[in-house]
Amino acid sequence: MTAPAPLLSAFRQAFSEAWASGAGLLLPLGFFAGTATLVPFTLGGEADLLSRVGPGILWLALALSSMVTLERVFQADLQDGALDLWLQDTGSISLVAAIKTLTHWLVSGFPLVLMTPLIGFMLGVPAEKMIPAMLGYAMGGLVFFLWGGVAAALSASVARGGLLIALIALPLYVPALIFGVQMVDAGVDSPSFLFLCACTLFALGVAPAAMGAALRLAAE
Amino acid sequence: MTAPAPLLSAFRQAFSEAWASGAGLLLPLGFFAGTATLVPFTLGGEADLLSRVGPGILWLALALSSMVTLERVFQADLQDGALDLWLQDTGSISLVAAIKTLTHWLVSGFPLVLMTPLIGFMLGVPAEKMIPAMLGYAMGGLVFFLWGGVAAALSASVARGGLLIALIALPLYVPALIFGVQMVDAGVDSPSFLFLCACTLFALGVAPAAMGAALRLAAE
Amino acid sequence: MLSYLANPLRFMRFSRLAVPICFALGVLMIGWSLYNGLFIVPPDALQGGDLIRAMFTHVPSAWLSMGLYAALAGASFVWYIWRHELADVAARAIAPIGAGYTALCFITGSIWGQKGWGAGWHNLILGDSRLMSVLVMLFLFLGYIALRAALETRQKAARAAAILALVGIVNVPIIKVSVDMWQTTTIHQESSVLKIGGSEPREDDEGMNPVYLQQLLWGFGGHTLLASAMILMLMRAEVYTQQAERQLALKLEER
Amino acid sequence: MSDPVLIAGHGLGAVRGERVLFQDVSLEAAPGELILLRGANGSGKTTLLRQLAGLSEPQAGTVERTVLHHWIGHTNGLKAHETPRSHLRHWARVWGGDTDIAAILTEMGLKRPANVPSRMLSAGQKRRTALSRLRLQDRELWLLDEPFNALDTDGQARLANMIESHRAAGGSVIAALHGDAPIEATREVEL
Amino acid sequence: MSDPVLIAGHGLGAVRGERVLFQDVSLEAAPGELILLRGANGSGKTTLLRQLAGLSEPQAGTVERTVLHHWIGHTNGLKAHETPRSHLRHWARVWGGDTDIAAILTEMGLKRPANVPSRMLSAGQKRRTALSRLRLQDRELWLLDEPFNALDTDGQARLANMIESHRAAGGSVIAALHGDAPIEATREVEL
Ligand code: HEM
Ligand SMILES: Nc1ncnc2c1ncn2[C@@H]1O[C@H](COP(=O)(O)OP(=O)(O)OP(=O)(O)O)[C@@H](O)[C@H]1O
Ligand SMILES: Nc1ncnc2c1ncn2[C@@H]1O[C@H](COP(=O)(O)OP(=O)(O)OP(=O)(O)O)[C@@H](O)[C@H]1O
Ligand SMILES: [Mg+2]
Ligand SMILES: [Mg+2]
């Protein structure tokens, strides 16, 4: 199970699952563009406000997409019995869970990074902030999806865990959020960037084990 | 089926479903409070910015909660066969669907209205805007949940419709969002309020039929 | 005419001729309007000088995007009520073309606005209700396409998409009246060709200069024909695909 | 009384994925009859039953139902948070009429797990809960999709009894079934 | 070779909601044996099987497994978007080894729906897909929870055959079952 082959096929399965649930990449792109579109309405469209607030709101969109995407992933595994199959070999369910969340990040979170230049341009973000912003969204997104995965695994055995996931995940998101936002302003050579890296590494180190434990519990 | 008894029990069932999926009312309250707390982090906490942006962000939280809540409702009905039971009597599935979404609004959307004074106070919203804001959140939330229900019903037969629901629902939310935001600024005696009422009435009139049709389709 | 064409055979016969004719005429008319619009008509001081030349693409695509959405909803309605297979084929073909024209409207408008509305215009894109409502329509088209792609069987996809198209029709009037109604939330100009929004004519309102109007109408006619040609072409492709699928299924059945 | 047919399907047909699943199937059920749908896995029994129940539109043919019916599908229709008792109470309310739910639960052997949420129930207990709906209201026509699945021997005997007494009372049953029927059928329809 | 036991459970017990479901259950399976778990609905067969499979921790007792096993539960383990072919290909990859998936599909009567997403499959076709996993890799121990459910007569015969030849090859099977077994068991465990 620690051989690459099973993990690769876990990736393939998760990828086709994420892809099959809609029109592939179109959907996440549409989602981020859609959220970016909603924002100005809620702010009344004062231009100066927008360029200050816009990038922050995209962080919210990212957090949202991680929760909406992951809500069902583990619950479905539990209900259709696929979780039992993963568990039956003593190998590492943690790794499989990590692969699954990372795959979903790739399909549903990473597109924001690709769209950052476009949306940022529309929101009037200065060009020199684009690279830090993209880096921030990429790493922050990773953290969001990993902790979101933990929350989803924890609430997998609750009938409909939507808001519960949100409630569990939000506090876990905060550190990455703070440093991510700061980093976009302060640039890649700031301490915020180092802290963001630390957040990411920490999530990468801890979240898989937590997911694994939560999933074992859910299958009981 | 048009008698009140079935609708009342549809309400009861949906209510206990919504309630059972977490800690009842605590969850939605926590969710809105959580989002409201996250906001300052993304904005860097400038007080003046906050009071201008805060109420708008709560609109986003409302939209989000409608989607997260409704995503699973109809899909679960489809998967566990409850939808077949509702459909088997020729009566009106539309009414049942409407009751279900309205119940979920009551549990997951309406709490925002209750919290508005508190959150508004925290964000520094002037007192005279409180009543329009509460009205706006109440009616806007209704519209969001109704259209969100349509989106959820339409994507019920898609494996995991998360982002798809968002993409379908977001454009439908926009009119109510525009008028709702304007109304908070302009007060209850403004034309925006009338337009918001019109949006709500329109959603109340059209969404149930659309949900009904979509659910019939999903059961095929 | 429409009910005559509802028969797939007749449709195929008609469209085989119509596609090349519409295509050729459309390209000619667009070319004529672009030639005149880009090189012949004088620049307009009020509308950002040479930038007014974007109008000959912008306004036709703006009208077409709304028109195509209405057509999408119409076809969906016909399919939903009478189950004319061809209406669904049409709806399916209209969606990508409509999305394309909506995007074109947005892009040309942006180019126009870059100078016309001065520096910092891009901040306005997201704050302007007219512009936003065009974006919203783009998302309606995209949502429609995504929903169709997500459902496996054609019957299901057709019905679900039809429901969405009919529900989304609310946004068309909102786009149309957005300029006229909320002067405060947009700096986009009012309708000067067609006055449907119902705003009171202003004193200084002389309507559009005929020099521009003429080219505009050529462009509009041309784009309408071109869009029709593209839609008919997609419809033909879809009809052929369905036939091929049916034959393939028969072949498989025999084995 | 000329023709006491409870349900009649004429020339029914279904197409799935460009393939004709079945066509020109006609069947009728009169009071007291038990009609079994037979056929291999994937031959279209469920599809036909759903058409008869009005859950999906026949691609060809028509269905006439003159009475109300009960539907028991492959899925049980239980929500994850529902207990057997709350499930039955819910549908009793929806359908009106006052039935003694405690009695039904006892009769169906669900007394012990009556208050356990369905996600913790065993497969057979879920099936029994679904079948208890048949008791909630007298409906002349029962449409059952592999109703004996997941039941233990006692449960199967009990269901066979229920069907028998339903028929004796003038009801009619259409059921999809694999293997030997624990009950004698009026007619079999082969798909 | 002293004791070729493939799996042994000693003094197993389970508590569910303040109630002792079973206790002090011990069983062993040696090569060639078929052990049937019997008991009424809700008596704990599934619970016991999950303990044997290592899916849940026994509240009392221990389980020793010396070999790999296949698990077929009440649920089939199919994802909604998966087709029979993609499901088998996926698990073949995970478990390694190169099996001829097309051959398995044909053998299990899944050739026609091989490319239909599982949410459109019939109940029996889903079950057949799950059972096909048994063919993907040779594992000595099979743990099956009501494996004959939803299968048609042909499918049941085929599964009985599979079990027979698995036993003949030195494999061992523990299965929960209701009603008559279409196959002779070494031993029955009553819960
Ligand atoms: C992203 C930017 C823009 C978008 C999305 C947009 C969208 C639209 C739409 C939807 C229409 C059709 C309106 C109707 O028929 O009532 C339209 C018409 C028009 N637009 Fe724009 N527009 C944009 C920018 C601009 C700019 C910057 C200008 C010029 C300053 C402009 C000038 C016009 C004109 C002249 C019409 C024709 C109005 C009429 O008489 O109907 N647009 N635009
Ligand atoms: N989109 C599709 N493409 C191809 N085949 C399809 C599609 N949708 C459904 N099918 C096929 O239609 C059939 C549906 O059969 P149905 O569920 O009615 O079978 P059944 O007789 O109830 O079988 P079982 O005994 O297994 O329950 C299956 O063979 C399935 O593979
Ligand atoms: N939290 C709980 N409270 C009370 N009882 C519970 C709880 N969780 C599970 N149970 C009971 O535990 C038992 C689980 O049984 P299990 O699923 O193992 O039965 P089974 O023998 O497989 O039955 P079947 O033949 O129906 O599949 C059921 O009787 C169920 O009602
Ligand atoms: Mg079936
Ligand atoms: Mg069991």
Side-chain angles (χ1 to χ4, degrees):
Chain A
M1 273 302 294
T2 42
L7 296 183
L8 202 65
S9 24
F11 168 75
R12 276 215 197 87
Q13 193 190 35
F15 191 80
S16 64
E17 184 186 11
W19 201 265
S21 67
L25 206 61
L26 189 66
L27 212 52
L29 292 181
F31 170 75
F32 288 115
T35 324
T37 316
L38 270 191
V39 174
F41 288 115
T42 67
L43 300 182
E46 292 160 62
D48 141 70
L49 202 61
L50 261 183
S51 69
R52 281 162 75 201
V53 174
I57 301 223
L58 282 179
W59 280 100
L60 284 186
L62 191 59
L64 164 54
S65 92
S66 74
M67 286 186 291
V68 170
T69 307
L70 291 173
E71 180 187 355
R72 275 288 291 154
V73 171
F74 294 123
Q75 207 176 54
D77 276 357
L78 181 69
Q79 282 171 359
D80 60 26
L83 183 58
D84 292 344
L85 294 180
W86 282 117
L87 283 169
Q88 89 179 310
D89 301 290
T90 37
S92 167
I93 182 76
S94 307
L95 276 179
V96 173
I99 293 280
K100 280 190 92 125
T101 44
L102 292 182
T103 313
H104 282 282
W105 165 74
L106 196 66
V107 174
S108 312
F110 189 71
L112 177 59
V113 179
L114 301 180
M115 288 182 82
T116 304
L118 187 70
I119 299 185
F121 177 69
M122 282 165 56
L123 292 170
V125 175
E128 70 275 13
K129 285 194 184 169
M130 236 39 127
I131 297 289
M134 288 170 75
L135 244 163
Y137 290 140
M139 296 176 64
L142 260 178
V143 178
F144 288 0
F145 273 74
L146 283 165
W147 290 130
V150 173
L154 275 175
S155 56
S157 33
V158 175
R160 299 179 319 91
L163 287 184
L164 186 62
I165 293 182
L167 202 56
I168 298 177
L170 284 180
L172 292 171
Y173 287 8
V174 169
L177 195 55
I178 297 179
F179 296 124
V181 172
Q182 283 181 359
M183 188 269 265
V184 175
D185 280 333
V188 188
D189 42 4
S190 64
S192 304
F193 180 60
L194 291 183
F195 284 124
L196 183 61
C197 289
C199 285
T200 315
L201 284 179
F202 182 71
L204 275 171
V206 174
M211 279 189 265
L215 287 178
R216 276 192 185 279
L217 186 71
E220 283 269 300
Chain B
M1 273 303 293
T2 43
L7 295 184
L8 202 66
S9 25
F11 168 76
R12 277 216 197 87
Q13 192 191 37
F15 191 80
S16 64
E17 182 186 13
W19 201 266
S21 68
L25 205 61
L26 204 61
L27 208 54
L29 291 180
F31 170 73
F32 288 117
T35 326
T37 341
L38 267 193
V39 174
F41 290 117
T42 68
L43 299 182
E46 294 159 60
D48 144 69
L49 202 62
L50 261 185
S51 71
R52 282 161 76 202
V53 174
I57 302 226
L58 283 179
W59 279 102
L60 285 186
L62 191 60
L64 164 54
S65 92
S66 74
M67 287 186 293
V68 170
T69 308
L70 291 172
E71 179 186 356
R72 275 290 291 155
V73 172
F74 293 125
Q75 208 176 54
D77 276 357
L78 180 69
Q79 282 170 1
D80 60 28
L83 182 58
D84 292 342
L85 295 179
W86 282 118
L87 283 170
Q88 89 180 309
D89 302 289
T90 38
S92 168
I93 181 75
S94 307
L95 277 179
V96 173
I99 294 279
K100 281 190 91 122
T101 46
L102 293 182
T103 312
H104 281 281
W105 165 74
L106 197 67
V107 174
S108 313
F110 189 71
L112 177 59
V113 179
L114 301 180
M115 290 182 81
T116 303
L118 188 69
I119 298 185
F121 178 70
M122 281 164 50
L123 293 171
V125 176
E128 72 274 12
K129 284 196 182 169
M130 239 36 131
I131 298 288
M134 288 170 75
L135 244 164
Y137 289 140
M139 296 177 63
L142 258 180
V143 178
F144 288 0
F145 272 75
L146 283 166
W147 290 131
V150 172
L154 277 174
S155 47
S157 36
V158 176
R160 298 179 319 94
L163 288 184
L164 185 62
I165 293 181
L167 189 57
I168 294 177
L170 286 179
L172 296 173
Y173 286 6
V174 169
L177 195 54
I178 299 180
F179 297 125
V181 172
Q182 283 182 359
M183 189 268 263
V184 176
D185 281 333
V188 188
D189 43 3
S190 64
S192 300
F193 180 59
L194 292 183
F195 284 125
L196 182 60
C197 290
C199 283
T200 315
L201 284 180
F202 183 76
L204 275 171
V206 173
M211 278 189 267
L215 287 178
R216 275 192 186 281
L217 171 70
E220 284 266 300
Chain C
M1 166 86 167
L2 276 181
S3 58
Y4 173 82
L5 286 177
N7 177 328
L9 268 180
R10 276 188 228 131
F11 167 77
M12 289 310 264
R13 241 183 287 138
F14 159 82
S15 60
R16 192 163 57 203
L17 282 179
V19 168
I21 294 177
C22 288
F23 192 83
L25 267 180
V27 169
L28 280 180
M29 284 164 74
I30 293 171
W32 174 248
S33 98
L34 278 186
Y35 169 72
N36 280 311
L38 292 181
F39 302 111
I40 305 295
V41 299
D44 184 301
L46 258 177
Q47 297 284 2
D50 277 332
L51 274 171
I52 191 161
R53 303 183 194 286
M55 179 174 78
F56 307 110
T57 308
H58 172 70
V59 178
S61 57
W63 286 344
L64 265 178
S65 63
M66 286 187 290
L68 286 178
Y69 193 87
L72 179 72
S76 302
F77 182 77
V78 169
W79 186 82
Y80 207 82
I81 303 295
W82 291 288
R83 290 289 145 93
H84 265 313
E85 282 304 327
L86 213 52
D88 177 54
V89 171
R92 192 190 165 111
I94 289 170
I97 308 293
Y101 269 106
T102 315
L104 189 64
C105 165
F106 191 76
I107 292 167
T108 51
S110 307
I111 295 171
W112 194 348
Q114 185 149 25
K115 285 279 163 47
W117 291 345
W121 65 276
H122 46 258
N123 290 336
L124 290 166
I125 292 184
L126 292 176
D128 185 291
S129 62
R130 155 59 63 86
L131 279 58
M132 286 316 305
S133 47
V134 172
L135 260 190
V136 165
M137 199 158 69
L138 182 58
F139 289 123
L140 277 176
F141 275 122
L142 290 184
Y144 181 94
I145 296 171
L147 181 63
R148 276 204 95 116
L151 292 166
E152 289 91 351
T153 58
R154 197 170 45 232
Q155 279 275 329
K156 267 195 160 180
R159 268 169 74 183
I163 295 169
L164 178 62
L166 288 174
V167 165
I169 192 92
V170 230
N171 276 74
V172 174
I174 289 186
I175 295 171
K176 180 63 198 161
V177 298
S178 61
V179 172
D180 304 323
M181 201 151 59
W182 308 305
Q183 300 285 342
T184 50
T185 59
T186 185
I187 55 175
H188 194 286
Q189 70 173 85
E190 287 178 64
S191 297
S192 44
V193 182
L194 294 170
K195 297 227 168 266
I196 304 180
S199 66
E200 288 293 309
R202 291 193 312 260
E203 305 240 317
D204 59 344
D205 196 355
E206 297 159 4
M208 194 180 280
N209 187 328
V211 188
Y212 300 121
L213 184 59
Q214 208 178 16
Q215 304 314 323
L216 182 62
L217 291 180
W218 276 117
F220 179 60
H223 277 291
T224 311
L225 285 174
L226 183 64
S228 312
M230 289 190 289
I231 290 170
L232 288 176
M233 214 144 60
L234 285 183
M235 286 173 71
R236 286 173 64 81
E238 176 65 19
V239 170
Y240 278 134
T241 311
Q242 290 185 12
Q243 280 174 1
E245 270 172 12
R246 233 168 278 145
Q247 272 166 13
L248 186 68
L250 279 180
K251 282 263 162 56
L252 287 178
E253 199 81 347
E254 279 163 15
R255 267 204 311 172
Chain D
M1 214 171 80
S2 58
D3 190 17
V5 165
L6 303 183
I7 185 170
H10 300 290
L12 294 172
V15 179
R16 286 287 176 278
E18 314 294 334
R19 175 190 150 211
V20 176
L21 207 55
F22 55 81
Q23 70 192 120
D24 220 14
V25 174
S26 298
L27 55 84
E28 291 190 344
E33 290 190 328
L34 164 64
I35 298 178
L36 290 185
L37 303 183
R38 296 294 198 159
N41 286 142
S43 59
K45 299 179 294 301
T46 300
T47 311
L48 177 60
L49 264 180
R50 292 182 73 86
Q51 292 186 353
L52 291 174
L55 290 172
S56 67
E57 258 176 58
Q59 271 108 341
T62 52
V63 174
E64 285 166 58
R65 263 172 290 125
T66 57
V67 291
L68 281 181
H69 65 274
H70 275 300
W71 166 259
I72 306 285
H74 279 303
T75 48
N76 292 315
L78 287 160
K79 319 253 15 132
H81 71 279
E82 275 183 335
T83 65
R85 173 168 291 133
S86 70
H87 180 76
L88 293 181
R89 202 163 44 201
H90 169 68
W91 288 106
R93 280 211 201 96
V94 173
W95 294 334
D98 40 3
T99 24
D100 182 356
I101 288 169
I104 297 180
L105 286 169
T106 315
E107 184 196 330
M108 299 295 289
L110 288 170
K111 208 173 149 196
R112 204 201 276 270
N115 295 318
V116 178
S118 80
R119 104 191 67 134
M120 301 178 187
L121 293 178
S122 84
Q125 289 168 338
K126 284 186 229 169
R127 198 71 186 151
R128 280 165 184 252
T129 311
L131 291 168
S132 304
R133 288 200 304 268
L134 297 172
R135 276 266 172 276
L136 282 182
Q137 198 187 30
D138 276 335
R139 296 186 167 191
E140 290 173 77
L141 181 63
W142 291 0
L143 301 175
L144 316 175
D145 201 354
E146 302 191 33
F148 293 97
N149 251 4
L151 293 180
D152 58 14
T153 334
D154 160 75
Q156 298 194 357
R158 194 164 291 178
L159 176 59
N161 268 339
M162 280 168 65
I163 293 180
E164 272 313 341
S165 50
H166 177 62
R167 288 172 68 184
S172 160
V173 179
I174 303 183
L177 217 63
H178 290 302
D180 312 323
I183 192 169
E184 209 180 320
T186 323
R187 219 168 25 253
E188 303 206 342
V189 175
E190 186 73 35
L191 284 185
Chain E
M1 217 168 80
S2 59
D3 191 17
V5 164
L6 303 183
I7 186 170
H10 302 291
L12 294 173
V15 179
R16 285 288 178 276
E18 318 295 331
R19 177 190 148 212
V20 176
L21 207 56
F22 55 80
Q23 67 191 122
D24 219 14
V25 175
S26 298
L27 56 81
E28 291 192 343
E33 289 191 326
L34 164 62
I35 299 177
L36 290 186
L37 304 184
R38 296 294 199 160
N41 286 141
S43 59
K45 300 179 293 302
T46 301
T47 312
L48 177 59
L49 265 180
R50 291 183 73 86
Q51 293 184 352
L52 292 174
L55 290 172
S56 68
E57 256 176 58
Q59 271 108 340
T62 52
V63 174
E64 284 166 58
R65 263 171 289 124
T66 58
V67 290
L68 282 180
H69 65 275
H70 275 300
W71 166 259
I72 307 285
H74 279 303
T75 48
N76 293 315
L78 286 161
K79 318 252 21 129
H81 72 279
E82 275 182 334
T83 65
R85 174 168 290 133
S86 70
H87 180 77
L88 294 182
R89 203 163 42 199
H90 169 69
W91 289 106
R93 280 212 200 95
V94 173
W95 293 335
D98 41 4
T99 24
D100 183 356
I101 289 169
I104 298 180
L105 287 169
T106 315
E107 184 196 328
M108 299 295 289
L110 289 170
K111 207 174 151 197
R112 207 201 272 272
N115 295 318
V116 178
S118 81
R119 104 191 63 141
M120 301 179 187
L121 292 179
S122 84
Q125 288 168 338
K126 283 185 230 169
R127 199 71 185 150
R128 281 165 184 251
T129 310
L131 291 169
S132 305
R133 287 200 304 267
L134 298 173
R135 276 265 172 275
L136 281 182
Q137 199 185 29
D138 276 336
R139 295 186 169 193
E140 290 172 77
L141 180 63
W142 291 0
L143 302 175
L144 315 177
D145 201 353
E146 303 191 33
F148 293 96
N149 251 4
L151 293 181
D152 59 14
T153 335
D154 160 74
Q156 297 193 358
R158 195 164 291 179
L159 176 59
N161 267 339
M162 278 168 66
I163 293 180
E164 273 312 342
S165 48
H166 177 63
R167 289 172 66 184
S172 161
V173 179
I174 303 182
L177 217 62
H178 291 300
D180 312 323
I183 191 168
E184 210 179 320
T186 321
R187 221 171 19 256
E188 302 207 343
V189 175
E190 187 72 33
L191 284 184

